[in-house]
Amino acid sequence: MITGPHRIAPGVHLLRAGRTAVAPNVYLLGSGTPWVLVDAAWAGSAEAVTAAAESLFGRGTTPAAIVLTHIHPDHCGAAGALARTWRVPAYVHPAELPMAAGRYLPEYPMPLDRWLVAPLMRLLPRRTRARIEQAGDITDVVRPLEPGGGVPGLPDWQWVHTPGHTPGHVAYLRRSDGVLITGDAAATVDLNSVTGVLTGRQRPAGPPRYTTWNWPAAVRSVAALAALEPRILAPGHGLPLTTGTAGALHHLARQLDRPRAGRLRRLRTAVAAPRYGGAGPYRPPPPLYARLQWIGHALTRLRLSPRSVVTLEVPGRRSGVVRRTNLVLLDHDGEQYLLSLAGQSQWARNVRAAGGHAVLARGRRRRAVTLVEVPVPARADIVRAYLLRGGRQPGHRKIAREADMYFGLTGEPTPAELAAVAPRYPVFHVTDTAPHQP
C-alpha cells in the first residue's frame, strides 16, 4: 500500500511506496509547474504516483521529466508506464543505459542476480522469460542525463554520480539548502540487517549488499556524499534525516570502510557456487544452496524447471521422513540414470538404505521406481554421457566447465580420466517398480 505524499522541504514531497521498512521512496519536486518525479517505485505503483501528483499539482498534471537514481525494479518499476502515459522521458546516467532492457547482464552482476535471479530465470521456459524481460524494458523512454550535472526541469538541482550500488547510480542535490536525494547510495534503515528489515529502526546505512554491484565503489560514494555536507538526507529507503546529517554520513563512510574480511569470508563460503570436484567421499553443497532447495522443488512441481529435472523422493535412513532432492534424469542408450555429483551424498545413502525404492516426481506425475547401483567399471561411460547430455558435441564450452566443477578435471576429460574418478560418484540405474501382484 502506498501512503500519501508529505512535504519534507520546500518543493520536495516524499511518497512512500509501502508501509514496511524496505518500502522504496518516490520524490515529487516542485511547488507548481513544472515539476519532476524522482524514482518510480514498483511496477504496480503508477496509479498511486499519478494520484499523488494530481493531489499536489492539479488534475491532469504531467511532469517536465522523470529522473531515476538507478535502474532497479523497486525504483524504476513504474517508470515505463508513467513515461508513456505522460509522454515524457525518464533520465538516467549514461552508464545505467545498458540495464534499461530489463535483462540480466553478466558484466553488471549483483549478488542476488548471480545467486538466485539468474539461475531461476534460466530454469523458466524461453517465452516466459521473454515476457518477464519485456515487462521491465524501458529502452523506449529512457534518455541519458547531460554531462555537467544539470537536471532536466530543475535548474536549481544537480546530479552527482555515486556508482557502486549500480554502475550509473546518481544522487540529486539542491545546493541552496542542502537537500540530498540519495537513492540506494545511502539509506536510513539498515537493509543488511535482519533486525533493521523487521523493525525498521532508523539509522544511516549503506546500500543493501545483496543488490550492490561493486561494494568498494559504493563505500567511496558514501564518502563522496558526506563531502557534500548535506543538511537533509532524502533516502531511497527509510525516513529523511534532518539533523546532524553531514556528520552521520561521515561516520557511516568510516564505518563501512572498516575491514570485514571474516564476515565476507563466511558470506562467500555460504553462497559460493557448488564445486563438487575433489578426492573426498562427500562434498556437501554450500549452505545457501541447501536452504533454497525448496525453490527448485517448487519449480519442478510447476514444470518450470528443465525437462530433464525430476524430484527424487526417498525416506531418510535415520528419520524415515521423506527427503526430496532435485536431480537430472539422464537418458543414455535407451536407459535412465541418476548420478550423484556430490559423491557419497545423503540421497545416495538414503537410496541404499531404502533398498533402492523411491519416487520420481515432476508436475503432477509421480513414478515409483527401483534404483540399482551401477558397478564402478560401468560408470565412466555414464559420466561421459552426463557431460554430453542435451545434444552437446565434443568441444562444447559447458563440458570443460562441468568437468571442472563436478569432477575436478581440467579441459575435456579423456575416458581414462573419467574412469579414474568414477569410483567416487555413485550412479543408479532407474527402472519402474513393478506393480504388486496379489
Side-chain angles (χ1 to χ4, degrees):
M1 182 176 182
I2 297 187
T3 60
H6 61 276
R7 179 179 178 272
I8 64 170
V12 180
H13 297 86
L14 164 64
L15 179 67
R16 301 205 70 201
R19 297 185 182 275
T20 68
V22 300
N25 293 335
V26 174
Y27 294 93
L28 299 96
L29 308 184
S31 55
T33 55
W35 63 276
V36 169
L37 180 71
V38 180
D39 283 349
W42 295 100
S45 305
E47 184 176 342
V49 172
T50 300
E54 292 185 345
S55 72
L56 291 171
F57 308 120
R59 188 170 182 82
T61 185
T62 59
I66 299 171
V67 296
L68 303 177
T69 57
H70 62 295
I71 295 180
H72 273 173
D74 57 334
H75 291 266
C76 73
L82 290 170
R84 295 176 193 114
T85 300
W86 288 333
R87 298 183 179 180
V88 298
Y91 291 91
V92 297
H93 188 279
E96 204 78 353
L97 291 174
M99 303 175 68
R103 295 191 296 269
Y104 169 65
L105 300 176
E107 61 270 35
Y108 298 124
M110 62 178 182
L112 189 64
D113 278 344
R114 290 197 304 267
W115 307 333
L116 185 61
V117 177
L120 289 180
M121 289 290 284
R122 284 195 291 266
L123 293 175
L124 295 176
R126 184 176 299 176
R127 291 183 179 178
T128 303
R129 186 166 63 245
R131 285 197 301 270
I132 294 173
E133 292 174 347
Q134 185 177 8
D137 188 350
I138 57 172
T139 53
D140 59 320
V141 299
V142 76
R143 302 289 185 274
L145 288 164
E146 293 294 331
V151 181
L154 296 173
D156 52 344
W157 289 76
Q158 68 181 91
W159 62 263
V160 181
H161 191 199
T162 51
H165 186 60
T166 64
H169 193 288
V170 296
Y172 296 98
L173 172 68
R174 186 166 67 183
R175 285 197 178 275
S176 60
D177 58 359
V179 178
L180 179 65
I181 299 175
T182 61
D184 280 0
T188 58
V189 61
D190 189 359
L191 300 182
N192 293 302
S193 161
V194 174
T195 302
V197 171
L198 293 179
T199 67
R201 184 179 62 155
Q202 299 295 299
R203 67 169 187 172
R209 283 177 174 262
Y210 42 88
T211 56
T212 294
W213 162 69
N214 185 317
W215 184 254
V219 173
R220 291 192 295 271
S221 288
V222 172
L225 292 175
L228 297 173
E229 299 292 327
R231 289 192 284 274
I232 296 178
L233 190 157
H237 298 273
L239 299 176
L241 180 63
T242 58
T243 59
T245 303
L249 276 176
H250 282 293
H251 177 73
L252 174 62
R254 291 191 297 270
Q255 192 177 40
L256 295 177
D257 201 32
R258 291 174 183 168
R260 301 180 64 179
R263 188 179 300 178
L264 286 175
R265 190 179 301 114
R266 292 193 296 271
L267 180 64
R268 292 190 186 104
T269 300
V271 302
R275 296 183 60 85
Y276 295 135
Y282 174 50
R283 292 160 296 284
L288 186 63
Y289 279 77
R291 292 182 182 181
L292 295 178
Q293 279 197 35
W294 64 271
I295 298 176
H297 301 158
L299 291 173
T300 303
R301 172 70 176 170
L302 296 171
R303 302 181 71 88
L304 294 176
S305 58
R307 293 182 180 179
S308 60
V309 174
V310 295
T311 299
L312 170 71
E313 299 180 356
V314 62
R317 59 192 181 280
R318 296 190 182 94
S319 67
V321 176
V322 172
R323 304 297 184 185
R324 295 176 175 83
T325 307
N326 267 23
L327 299 169
V328 171
L329 183 62
L330 175 67
D331 289 297
H332 175 55
D333 284 348
E335 303 291 339
Q336 294 184 319
Y337 300 89
L338 295 176
L339 173 61
S340 178
L341 298 175
Q344 302 296 334
S345 61
Q346 301 295 341
W347 73 260
R349 300 177 201 180
N350 290 338
V351 165
R352 293 181 187 127
H357 298 294
V359 171
L360 298 183
R362 179 171 175 80
R364 295 183 178 181
R365 185 188 179 195
R366 295 171 55 79
R367 173 186 171 195
V369 297
T370 300
L371 305 180
V372 179
E373 193 157 2
V374 174
V376 170
R379 293 181 188 174
D381 188 48
I382 299 170
V383 172
R384 183 174 184 274
Y386 181 88
L387 293 172
L388 293 173
R389 71 190 186 281
R392 297 175 188 169
Q393 297 299 315
H396 195 286
R397 58 184 177 83
K398 288 186 178 180
I399 295 176
R401 187 178 70 184
E402 291 187 358
D404 174 43
M405 182 180 296
Y406 297 139
F407 306 109
L409 301 172
T410 58
E412 190 162 325
T414 65
E417 290 173 327
L418 292 175
V421 301
R424 300 203 300 266
Y425 298 90
V427 177
F428 294 88
H429 179 219
V430 180
T431 59
D432 288 311
T433 299
H436 177 71
Q437 299 293 332

